[in-house]
Amino acid sequence: MVADPVLLQAVADLFPNGISRYAVGGLLVGLGTVVIYVGTGIPAGASTFLESTLSYASDQSRFQQYVASRDWRLVFTVGIVLGGLAFAATFQSGLVTSSLYEPGTTGRLYEVAGVTLWTTDVQPWRLFGGGILVGIGTRIGKGCTSGHGVCGVGSASKTSLVGVATFLAVAIGTAQVVAALGVSP
């Protein structure tokens, strides 16, 4: 098989630090998705966490549709948070090293009880505003990027394919506008 050197260089330019970290991450996300689907019969996605959690406290029918699946959704979300904390306490702090992890260039490192942690330079109001917009978007889009992008596309859902194309187009467009305006954290 003869490969086009221009195409190979274009791919290399897209992944200047190599593709292995993305491949490992993708395999782990895919494995987690399969485990959840095989174990529950429900596609994984994080956007229904709030509603399923509210089903513990509210009798409204809107929240009660999640009663059967709320326990695993709670464990799923706690696992996301604990995974982030485990990453921060091991790789980000320098306790564990790997060629798959390269420290970021934004934010600050600080120490708490002998553990090095990282904090972002992004202003809190921007994080809060972004969270609100993401929440609204997941309601309008009937799901989040993890649900549509991993499970929906994987099952060839037309709704998810359109949703992911829309997410990407809006994200790329927004990034270009923000960069052109010179906005930084």
Side-chain angles (χ1 to χ4, degrees), residues 15-28 98-101:
F15 302 100
N17 297 318
I19 199 166
S20 59
R21 67 185 72 203
Y22 309 108
V24 169
L27 288 171
L28 290 173
S98 170
S99 63
L100 296 176
Y101 172 69

Side-chain angles (χ1 to χ4, degrees), residues 48-60 63-75 78:
T48 53
F49 167 71
L50 178 61
E51 286 184 301
S52 63
T53 302
L54 289 173
S55 72
Y56 286 106
S58 175
D59 290 332
Q60 289 186 12
F63 305 125
Q64 292 306 305
Q65 65 181 323
Y66 299 107
V67 168
S69 64
R70 67 184 176 189
D71 293 337
W72 78 261
R73 291 179 194 275
L74 183 62
V75 170
V78 168

Side-chain angles (χ1 to χ4, degrees), residues 32-184:
T33 300
V34 168
V35 167
I36 289 172
Y37 189 75
V38 168
T40 66
I42 301 171
S47 65
T48 53
F49 167 71
L50 178 61
E51 286 184 301
S52 63
T53 302
L54 289 173
S55 72
Y56 286 106
S58 175
D59 290 332
Q60 289 186 12
S61 61
R62 173 181 181 172
F63 305 125
Q64 292 306 305
Q65 65 181 323
Y66 299 107
V67 168
S69 64
R70 67 184 176 189
D71 293 337
W72 78 261
R73 291 179 194 275
L74 183 62
V75 170
F76 177 75
T77 305
V78 168
I80 291 171
V81 173
L82 291 178
L85 290 173
F87 174 80
T90 55
F91 289 97
Q92 207 168 43
S93 71
L95 183 64
V96 176
T97 59
S98 170
S99 63
L100 296 176
Y101 172 69
E102 183 176 314
T105 56
T106 61
R108 286 167 286 171
L109 294 174
Y110 63 98
E111 292 226 7
V112 174
V115 176
T116 304
L117 299 174
W118 174 84
T119 184
T120 182
D121 286 335
V122 178
Q123 298 163 341
W125 71 268
R126 288 185 177 174
L127 294 172
F128 181 76
I132 296 295
L133 291 174
V134 166
I136 291 169
T138 59
R139 294 303 302 151
I140 293 170
K142 301 197 183 317
C144 60
T145 53
S146 62
H148 283 298
V150 176
C151 300
V153 169
S155 62
S157 162
K158 290 178 186 171
T159 303
S160 292
L161 290 168
V162 170
V164 168
T166 303
F167 299 155
L168 288 173
V170 170
I172 291 168
T174 301
Q176 294 302 314
V177 168
V178 167
L181 292 174
V183 177
S184 65

